[in-house]
Amino acid sequence: MRIAVLGTGAGGRCHAARLAELGHQVTIGTRDPSVTLART
Ligand SMILES: NC(=O)c1ccc[n+]([C@@H]2O[C@H](COP(=O)([O-])OP(=O)(O)OC[C@H]3O[C@@H](n4cnc5c(N)ncnc54)[C@H](OP(=O)(O)O)[C@@H]3O)[C@@H](O)[C@H]2O)c1
């Protein structure tokens, strides 16, 4: 399935990672990509 996860907090990251492991196509949305990339 193609799945979108909004938010890169603990819940969003955990769900996105597991869904991707299971073979789903996961897209993650975040409010501010530059801030999120700097944080990670
Ligand atoms: N963690 C758990 O074990 C757990 C269990 C059951 C239920 N929940 C529920 O799941 C939800 C998320 O939990 P979490 O632990 O992942 O929280 P979190 O770590 O605080 O992450 C929430 C994410 O939502 C985004 N966000 C915050 N304020 C926002 C706003 N005003 N508009 C749009 N996006 C916003 C942010 O992502 P960006 O910075 O990437 O935009 C933030 O990182 C909560 O409602 C919580 O009650 C969590």
Side-chain angles (χ1 to χ4, degrees):
M1 293 176 65
R2 291 188 298 165
I3 298 169
V5 175
L6 299 180
T8 56
R13 290 198 312 269
C14 184
H15 281 84
R18 184 64 182 133
L19 289 164
E21 280 176 10
L22 292 170
H24 298 288
Q25 183 182 327
V26 182
T27 300
I28 300 174
T30 185
R31 289 169 292 176
D32 189 333
S34 59
V35 170
T36 298
L37 286 171
R39 191 174 62 228
T40 56

